[in-house]
Amino acid sequence: MAATLPLVAVNGVKAATTTQAYLESKPVQETRRLITDLCRQFYSLGWVGGTGGSITIKVHDDSIPKPQQLIVMSPSGVQKERMLQEDMYILSPDGTILSSPDPKPYPHKPPKCSDCAPLFMKAYQMHNAGAVIHSHGMESCIVTMINPGSKEFRITHMEMIKGIQGHGYYDELVVPIIENTAHERELTDSLAAAIEAYPKSTAVLVRNHGIYVWGDSWISAKTQAECYHYLFDAAIRLHQMGLDWSTPTHGPIKAIKEVSSSDQKMTVFAKMGAMESDGEMKPRWRCVVLDIEGTTTPISFVTEILFPYARDNVKRHLSLTYESSETQDDIKLLRAQVEDDLEKGIAGAVPIPPDSEGKVEVIAALVANVEAMIKADRKITALKQLQGHIWRTGFQNKELVGIVFDDVPEALERWHSTGIRVYIYSSGSRLAQRLIFGNSNFGDLRKYLSGFFDTSVGNKREPRSYVEISESVGVGHPAEILFVTDVYQEAIAAKEAGLEVIISVRPGNGRLPDNHGFREVNSFSQI
């Protein structure tokens, strides 16, 4: 059953024609056939058994921009391994059904468009995806159950991470986890919120359910789905062996450093925990969360080196990378931020002209806004994301070296070797954090770090942010986490969330309130 509509255009650009002839055209038929082939393959992998799961792919047509291409979607309640081309639904770019399959004879159920359709449309609209895969694979289900309170799946130092868009071997892969509902369509809002909160993610896990994966094309979506399932399976197997998949070394989850004598053991753990009845030491904290600026790194490095480098190179960076999808994404975020700033009357905000006025004019306005944001030291995602990309070039060109205090590497190694997981929580982007510790004056320190948090988990001066972190790292109680910062307001927020807190006193740090009530250290050797 097909709708016959006239040729449509969006903003003067040719869009997919929905005439009967086009619905029966070669590109559409090839996409129908491709989905049937993929469903059979995914059935054999255990991803779409019991009629579960679904696949949707945009009809590739070089003459039509991707946002205006038609969408082919597998139906709901159909045995995926027996699905035929004529069983597919065809949708318009806005989700309107243009063609639906004819009913099959008993005992088949009447055709029904996938209950996942609203979720698929969010991935198309928010990420300009070319294909979306929804899997019920066992690995994607079980991996969300290992830590029922976690809002994220994290893994690092695994070869297959390289198969996920925008990630490398040394990177930490973070996949958001949302809670399941009785009906899949009810997941739409939480999935959209997760996509917005994790702009670099290409997947969302649904607890006790499965995963949604998207890519620029069906090949990208399929490749990433296979890599995600591999990584989930690896995490489950490592967990069964008592190994921690979220750390660079994947060592024992509760490793205790072996030393040659009881005196040495007491020295190692004297300030970290208490003696167990069997003579073994139990670390006082399971996790240490570190601020960067004024804690691991001099404030002057950020204010006198990183910020000026970003400010001085923003025009060059935008000019050289303007056409790249990454920079266009940065510009999109900046446009949205500036529009909001203009509505609120934020000082320094200037309108950004449309692309039609030319690259030079757009870049000039972007530079003016970025300079004002940096001058005001604003902690906003649009600025942090762009700065991270500029700094990445600086580190790659050896124009920048991350600076950490002399006592930091030894402390990181000590905590790591005794089974304490170390995380970074900074207002800078995760990319910027990885760059500093991956290219430090003491070499690559990321091997000692289990993960990175930025303001996507919340403002650093709000207790809820630290609750999110404690739930993500999987401790039994927030008090098992030590947070080290130089900012009194952050210390208060973390304490309210139940974390242990120590304030870092370093050269150049701001003045602290008198009788603030927190323990102070001027070196990590004191922790």
Side-chain angles (χ1 to χ4, degrees), residues 28-44 48 54-57 72-75 78-89 104 218:
V28 175
Q29 296 307 312
E30 286 180 344
T31 307
R32 287 173 176 259
R33 184 167 56 252
L34 174 60
I35 290 181
T36 63
D37 292 342
L38 290 176
C39 280
R40 291 190 183 96
Q41 179 183 353
F42 293 166
Y43 176 82
S44 67
V48 293
S54 189
I55 305 174
T56 173
I57 300 175
V72 179
M73 189 176 299
S74 63
V78 174
Q79 303 291 330
K80 297 298 191 293
E81 78 281 12
R82 297 180 61 83
M83 202 162 52
L84 303 174
Q85 294 182 49
E86 54 264 30
D87 293 331
M88 303 298 157
Y89 279 82
K104 291 188 174 185
W218 72 267

Side-chain angles (χ1 to χ4, degrees), residues 331-347:
I331 293 174
K332 180 180 178 180
L333 283 178
L334 284 166
R335 282 188 184 279
Q337 183 64 55
V338 170
E339 288 174 5
D340 185 61
D341 290 349
L342 290 169
E343 290 181 5
K344 295 178 179 177
I346 301 296

Side-chain angles (χ1 to χ4, degrees), residues 227-249:
C227 291
Y228 279 119
H229 282 78
Y230 175 97
L231 293 166
F232 298 153
D233 185 46
I236 293 167
R237 297 189 189 197
L238 288 168
H239 180 73
Q240 291 171 336
M241 294 187 289
L243 302 179
D244 189 348
W245 66 85
S246 66
T247 64
T249 59

